[in-house]
Amino acid sequence: MSDLIIYNASILTMVPEHPRAEAIAIQGNRICAIGQTHKIKALAQPHTKVIDAKGRTVLPGFIDSHVHLFQGSAELDFLPVGGFSDLAEVQPAVLTYADDRPDEPLVLGVGAFYGLFSGQTTSPRMLLDAILPDRPFALLAADLHTVWANTCALEKAGLLHGADMPEGSTVMMGDDGLANGILLETGAFGPVLALSRTGGRDMLGYVTGDDPDPAATKAEREADKELLLKGIDHVAAHGITTLHNMDGNFYQLELLSELEAEGRLKVRVQVPMHLKNYDPLERLQEAAKMHAQYRGDKVWSGRVKMFMDGVLESRTALKSRPYPDTPGTQGEAVFDPDHFNEACRIADAMGLQISVHAVGDLAVSRVLDGYEYARKHNGKRDARHRIEHIEVISEADIDRMKALDVVASMQPRHAAFAGFFEPPQPNTVLYEDEYARSCAWRILRDQGIPLAFSTDWPVVPVDVMANIQCAVVPVDLGLNWPDQSQTLMETLDSYTAVNAWMAFREHHHGCLRTGLAADLVMLDGNIATHTPNELRNLPVALTVCDGTITFGGD
């Protein structure tokens, strides 16, 4: 018996020994058969929903292995400013948004590019005051590592006169002794985002890893679940069936589990424990508790997330040399090496996976030091520890990644040659000799290092097809930038099977094989014959997660 059959399809199974098929049958939440159209159609019963794919591509459901679900969901309701390149363009949008929401506690623009403040001699605080002086107003950078705030927001958050910050976070001060409006990293901008209508609950898993204090009310919990559902519908519309969250706390796990119990969770989500640099190592017991308590097919934990540095644009990424345009500045390590190494040892000994944000080459090296330290003390095991981003890496550390069996978790649309963010100007954040090792997808893959792809939503849109296009046909920036392009099948593998394997779920989902979870996406065309430079325009026609149609299908 079958509940759903899709036939006359161009199926890419992502199973090496059986890479192609024509039809697939689903019973309950599992794939019950896959093969030729005439054989699969014969399994139809009167109740079976039958879909003629008409030659369209069917794939395993996409797995976005690096997202911030709660934040991304919240940002759908805030003011998008990512399309603006000048503050003069931002002002009318802000004023309209503010007028329409007179009770909004924080007017928050999201997705802001650093170029809005480039070349300005006036402080960001005063520039934002000129746009909206009488209400708390802030802009959150697209990369989620910087906030620019006006005087009212800084004063209400208790930051106008500066404040003590944890290592790696900074409230930038002006010559007048007041904060100049630039807040670098989570410790600095957390108090401003807490002013928002969500009370900052959407950011807690990112900013502190703590649960709401005081605890969220019943009304707040219900509002937060509705917010998450909006984000989940959004990702399902892009063919996504599994998310690896990159921030976490018990609160998110509770909300997602409640949605699952209510039959409303349309996606699988892994949520990590977020260890901050100021946390005592004993806090890792929370990670063990999360892992023991949340082990389901749709909501699970089992991973520790940490940050080693910031981002290149704000010069907070940790580099082995000073920034070309900022002598004496190499970025700042978020973790002390000894503290980090011990955290890796303990988490690894607990059998937990580790994922660490590392953008600069020295940050990558420090993370590898921690993984090597853990292996030395605990012995070698199938850990599948991850490094997130790897925007610059040294030749020596490419070899170390391979030797330590570390997974490269990267985001094609972040790259200078992706065509989304403006590429850096020469001699600013990268030296010319670093171009070859910047977002070095091709080099890492060719070295046999497992390569996983994702978006880091809401840093960039969660649009899978646009991300795939960036990997397959990156922008040519010239001779100094080597070709890092991926084949289509390599890219699809890094968005499906590799991401499932990375999370130890390869025997559950990630490919289309009889007996595995019924997670799939049907595109509205044939991806193999679609023009590579137009992949971003190839829509999703149908998404199925756990045997249930979560998008399309009418």
Side-chain angles (χ1 to χ4, degrees):
M1 295 180 63
S2 301
D3 299 312
L4 173 64
I5 286 176
I6 302 173
Y7 70 95
N8 192 21
S10 175
I11 300 178
L12 303 177
T13 67
M14 311 315 293
V15 178
E17 58 268 30
H18 301 291
R20 302 286 191 275
E22 298 173 348
I24 187 168
I26 293 169
Q27 182 178 358
N29 63 358
R30 295 283 168 167
I31 298 168
C32 63
I34 186 167
Q36 296 174 308
T37 285
H38 72 278
K39 292 182 179 179
I40 302 301
K41 284 186 72 177
L43 302 175
Q45 302 291 317
H47 76 281
T48 305
K49 182 178 180 66
V50 179
I51 297 175
D52 181 356
K54 299 178 181 178
R56 291 176 289 184
T57 294
V58 172
L59 292 155
F62 292 127
I63 301 170
D64 198 325
S65 57
H66 188 125
V67 300
H68 301 274
L69 173 60
F70 207 170
Q71 291 170 258
S73 302
E75 285 202 11
L76 294 174
D77 278 340
F78 290 129
L79 173 65
V81 298
F84 300 125
S85 58
D86 190 281
L87 286 174
E89 299 172 321
V90 173
Q91 183 165 8
V94 170
L95 295 179
T96 299
Y97 181 91
D99 287 345
D100 290 344
R101 297 163 178 80
D103 298 324
E104 189 86 345
L106 173 68
V107 176
L108 181 61
V110 296
F113 290 173
Y114 285 83
L116 289 173
F117 298 95
S118 296
Q120 299 281 0
T121 56
T122 303
S123 72
R125 173 172 66 87
M126 300 301 291
L127 291 170
L128 297 186
D129 283 350
I131 294 174
L132 192 67
D134 55 352
R135 291 173 62 181
F137 168 45
L139 297 178
L140 173 61
D143 60 23
L144 307 181
H145 286 265
T146 300
V147 163
W148 300 272
N150 74 350
T151 300
C152 193
L154 291 165
E155 190 165 32
K156 196 162 186 178
L159 300 174
L160 185 59
H161 299 281
D164 292 335
M165 288 289 123
E167 189 175 2
S169 296
T170 306
V171 176
M172 300 295 290
M173 303 301 291
D175 294 337
D176 58 0
L178 301 176
N180 71 4
I182 303 174
L183 306 172
L184 302 177
E185 302 300 331
T186 56
F189 59 67
V192 167
L193 297 184
L195 303 175
S196 75
R197 85 171 82 96
T198 65
R201 293 186 304 279
D202 58 306
M203 294 286 285
L204 274 178
Y206 179 69
V207 173
T208 66
D210 294 329
D211 294 322
D213 185 17
T217 65
K218 182 177 180 180
E220 288 171 338
R221 291 179 75 93
E222 291 303 313
D224 289 344
K225 285 198 292 185
E226 292 302 318
L227 192 66
L228 284 168
L229 285 173
K230 185 171 184 177
I232 288 167
D233 283 340
H234 183 65
V235 302
H238 289 285
I240 295 168
T241 55
T242 301
L243 301 170
H244 298 173
N245 217 40
M246 280 296 135
D247 61 87
N249 51 16
F250 279 104
Y251 185 62
Q252 289 187 65
L253 285 161
E254 291 167 5
L255 296 181
L256 292 166
S257 296
E258 288 175 18
L259 289 173
E260 181 182 12
E262 295 163 5
R264 297 197 289 166
L265 186 61
K266 298 179 180 180
V267 68
R268 306 181 193 279
V269 191
Q270 183 194 36
V271 178
M273 180 268 179
H274 183 185
L275 185 73
K276 301 292 288 187
N277 58 344
Y278 49 79
D279 286 331
L281 295 176
E282 290 76 17
R283 194 178 175 209
L284 284 167
Q285 292 301 322
E286 287 184 25
K289 184 178 178 181
M290 282 182 177
H291 181 44
Q293 189 171 342
Y294 297 96
R295 306 176 72 102
D297 287 342
K298 294 191 80 171
V299 179
W300 77 100
S301 187
R303 180 164 51 84
V304 175
K305 169 69 185 299
M306 292 181 277
F307 282 80
M308 183 51 74
D309 66 348
V311 293
L312 292 170
E313 290 80 359
S314 61
R315 280 54 173 182
T316 54
L318 184 63
K319 299 190 64 182
S320 59
R321 291 180 282 177
Y323 284 83
D325 65 350
T326 317
T329 298
Q330 292 178 243
E332 186 174 359
V334 174
F335 271 85
D336 170 81
D338 291 340
H339 189 187
F340 178 77
N341 290 351
E342 271 299 296
C344 289
R345 181 189 67 78
I346 294 169
D348 181 75
M350 290 176 171
L352 299 171
Q353 188 182 37
I354 306 170
S355 55
V356 185
H357 168 118
V359 169
D361 61 332
L362 185 53
V364 172
S365 191
R366 294 274 182 90
V367 175
L368 292 173
D369 288 346
Y371 293 167
E372 189 171 18
Y373 181 87
R375 177 176 285 192
K376 177 181 177 181
H377 286 267
N378 300 332
K380 183 177 180 179
R381 69 180 183 90
D382 183 15
R384 306 183 196 181
H385 295 322
R386 311 166 44 160
I387 302 182
E388 312 298 318
H389 308 308
I390 319 176
E391 293 190 16
V392 191
I393 187 171
S394 69
E395 293 282 357
D397 283 336
I398 293 172
D399 294 336
R400 291 178 72 203
M401 282 193 71
K402 173 68 174 174
L404 291 168
D405 304 307
V406 176
V407 183
S409 173
M410 303 180 78
Q411 299 69 41
R413 224 167 176 183
H414 286 196
F417 36 82
F420 186 78
F421 296 111
E422 284 292 321
Q425 293 297 308
N427 298 312
T428 54
V429 297
L430 294 175
Y431 292 92
E432 189 173 303
D433 63 81
E434 291 176 315
Y435 294 169
R437 293 172 282 103
S438 176
C439 299
W441 318 321
R442 172 50 56 197
I443 295 170
L444 294 171
R445 188 184 293 278
D446 288 349
Q447 288 296 315
I449 294 167
L451 180 57
F453 281 155
S454 57
T455 59
D456 199 7
W457 180 59
V459 171
V460 302
V462 78
D463 184 348
V464 175
M465 296 310 300
N467 221 39
I468 288 173
Q469 180 177 318
C470 290
V472 174
V473 281
V475 176
D476 184 359
L477 295 182
L479 293 177
N480 292 327
W481 293 85
D483 180 13
Q484 302 287 356
S485 63
Q486 310 285 289
T487 69
L488 177 61
M489 291 308 297
E490 286 173 338
T491 305
L492 294 176
D493 194 46
S494 290
Y495 240 117
T496 55
V498 171
N499 282 344
W501 168 86
M502 179 169 61
F504 298 90
R505 295 277 162 142
E506 67 269 31
H507 300 300
H508 183 267
H509 59 258
C511 63
L512 300 180
R513 188 199 301 267
T514 301
L516 266 59
D519 294 1
L520 61 82
V521 56
M522 181 168 71
L523 304 176
D524 201 14
N526 189 325
I527 195 171
T529 59
H530 205 78
T531 303
N533 278 312
E534 295 295 327
L535 285 171
R536 67 184 182 280
N537 296 322
L538 181 56
V540 168
L542 176 77
T543 307
V544 176
C545 180
D546 208 38
T548 298
I549 294 174
T550 57
F551 175 77
D554 296 331

